[in-house]
Amino acid sequence: MFKRDIFLLTLVFHKLISALQSCGGFHVRRHSSLDNLLFNEAFMSEHVVEGKLSCTGRCYRHPLCNMLLYNPTSKRCRLYKSSINTGGTEEPGWQYYAAECNHFRVENALSLTVVNQSVDVACGSGLTHIPSSPFHCSLGTEVLNIGMCAQTRWINLVSPWVTDLPAPLSPGAEIKVRGAGDGAGNTDVNLRGTDDLISVFLLSIRWSRHDAIFNTKISGTWGTELGPSTFIFSPNVVFDVLVRITTTNFLIFIDGNNFYEAPIRISVDNAVRLYISFSRLESVEIKYP
């Protein structure tokens, strides 16, 4: 590991030195069809530079820069964090350049490598790389799409709490919830569709009945309730829920122990929203396969 770290440090240092001279392997492609347009979307900064190479160097050294506009007359250099081909306003003199595919960076990524259209992305804490499907990397004037680093872990939440899923669920995905119920009402983990007429998965701890049930809803009608015969929960005691999706079932674990195996009645790719209702909600995490 020590030798590898030295190698990576040497490589990064070499690239930075190269960038000052020729931007190393960082290449931008001219798209003359978008010249003479000024863009405001995803704009980061503007500088006065000696030439296009200096503008490219600034883009290279910025962790999010993927596109630049350079005006050789005014020496103005504008940096952007994404390729844009719509919404430009006419202003003569601007030249449009976008990074080549293998140097395109995604926002929120700690690092990104693209080799032969294989993407390796490292995301920050609480974020997960959600790849585009299918992989699309155009050297033309289209927007480059290689996925995103999306938030998949949240902490210290106010209940009830809801979020749109950053990507469709599939077998191998997991949902983790840590929190407690106060012994009143229901404590729910609910995967919903585009509206309240569909519930792909509901785990509801009903304190008043001392039961915990699984159910689904389609076209506004609830199905048959299923669940274990024992009630293992205590009011105001924090517990962990893990829901693991397989090809046919939801495997439900409480504090790491098998709790219930529920059948998948509605395809999980119908789920678009996660709704959580705990009296105390410490964290929620979605893990993609």
Side-chain angles (χ1 to χ4, degrees):
M1 181 62 71
F2 182 71
K3 289 183 178 180
R4 179 176 181 271
D5 289 344
I6 291 179
F7 172 77
L8 290 176
L9 181 61
T10 303
L11 181 62
V12 170
F13 180 75
H14 173 72
K15 284 191 173 183
L16 288 176
I17 294 299
S18 298
L20 295 176
Q21 300 170 356
S22 63
C23 293
F26 184 73
H27 301 290
V28 291
R29 184 183 180 96
R30 174 80 175 273
H31 300 289
S32 57
S33 63
L34 296 174
D35 284 354
N36 301 314
L37 293 174
L38 188 63
F39 297 90
N40 293 317
E41 183 183 353
F43 168 73
M44 295 189 297
S45 61
E46 181 173 314
H47 312 272
V48 176
V49 298
E50 292 299 320
K52 183 182 77 69
L53 186 61
S54 296
C55 186
T56 306
R58 284 184 176 272
C59 186
Y60 174 83
R61 291 188 294 273
H62 196 290
L64 298 180
C65 183
N66 301 307
M67 163 199 157
L68 60 92
L69 292 181
Y70 176 65
N71 190 317
T73 302
S74 63
K75 306 295 185 183
R76 291 161 65 191
C77 168
R78 291 171 64 90
L79 305 183
Y80 298 82
K81 64 183 178 181
S82 61
S83 279
I84 304 161
N85 63 356
T86 59
T89 57
E90 291 189 10
E91 183 171 320
W94 290 103
Q95 298 174 352
Y96 180 104
Y97 297 87
E100 296 281 20
C101 285
N102 61 330
H103 293 287
F104 215 90
R105 280 78 58 91
V106 289
E107 190 174 2
N108 298 322
L110 299 177
S111 66
L112 168 65
T113 303
V114 184
V115 179
N116 295 329
Q117 296 198 356
S118 176
V119 182
D120 184 14
V121 180
C123 299
S125 177
L127 302 170
T128 298
H129 178 239
I130 308 297
S132 58
S133 180
F135 179 83
H136 174 64
C137 186
S138 171
L139 290 178
T141 58
E142 297 179 8
V143 175
L144 181 68
N145 178 17
I146 57 174
M148 61 180 177
C149 284
Q151 185 170 9
T152 53
R153 187 173 187 273
W154 302 263
I155 60 174
N156 300 324
L157 306 172
V158 175
S159 182
W161 180 81
V162 62
T163 185
D164 290 337
L165 298 177
L169 297 173
S170 62
E174 295 181 348
I175 297 169
K176 301 178 181 180
V177 182
R178 180 175 177 82
D182 59 7
N186 296 344
T187 298
D188 296 340
V189 177
N190 193 348
L191 284 168
R192 295 176 174 175
T194 54
D195 51 42
D196 196 38
L197 298 178
I198 295 178
S199 180
V200 176
F201 171 91
L202 171 67
L203 172 65
S204 183
I205 301 168
R206 302 186 297 197
W207 298 95
S208 61
R209 301 187 185 186
H210 279 78
D211 66 8
I213 59 96
F214 160 81
N215 208 345
T216 57
K217 180 169 61 173
I218 187 167
S219 299
T221 302
W222 287 103
T224 302
E225 294 181 354
L226 302 173
S229 57
T230 57
F231 189 77
I232 62 173
F233 304 94
S234 300
N236 302 310
V237 175
V238 172
F239 61 94
D240 293 302
V241 178
L242 168 62
V243 180
R244 180 176 298 142
I245 299 171
T246 72
T247 56
T248 57
N249 294 289
F250 296 102
L251 305 181
I252 305 170
F253 300 85
I254 303 297
D255 292 332
N257 300 312
N258 291 328
F259 181 67
Y260 195 73
E261 184 173 325
I264 293 179
R265 296 170 174 170
I266 306 170
S267 178
V268 295
D269 57 16
N270 286 291
V272 300
R273 194 165 291 115
L274 177 61
Y275 174 89
I276 307 290
S277 179
F278 278 49
S279 62
R280 175 182 175 184
L281 187 55
E282 294 190 357
S283 65
V284 176
E285 182 175 3
I286 304 171
K287 181 181 178 182
Y288 287 88

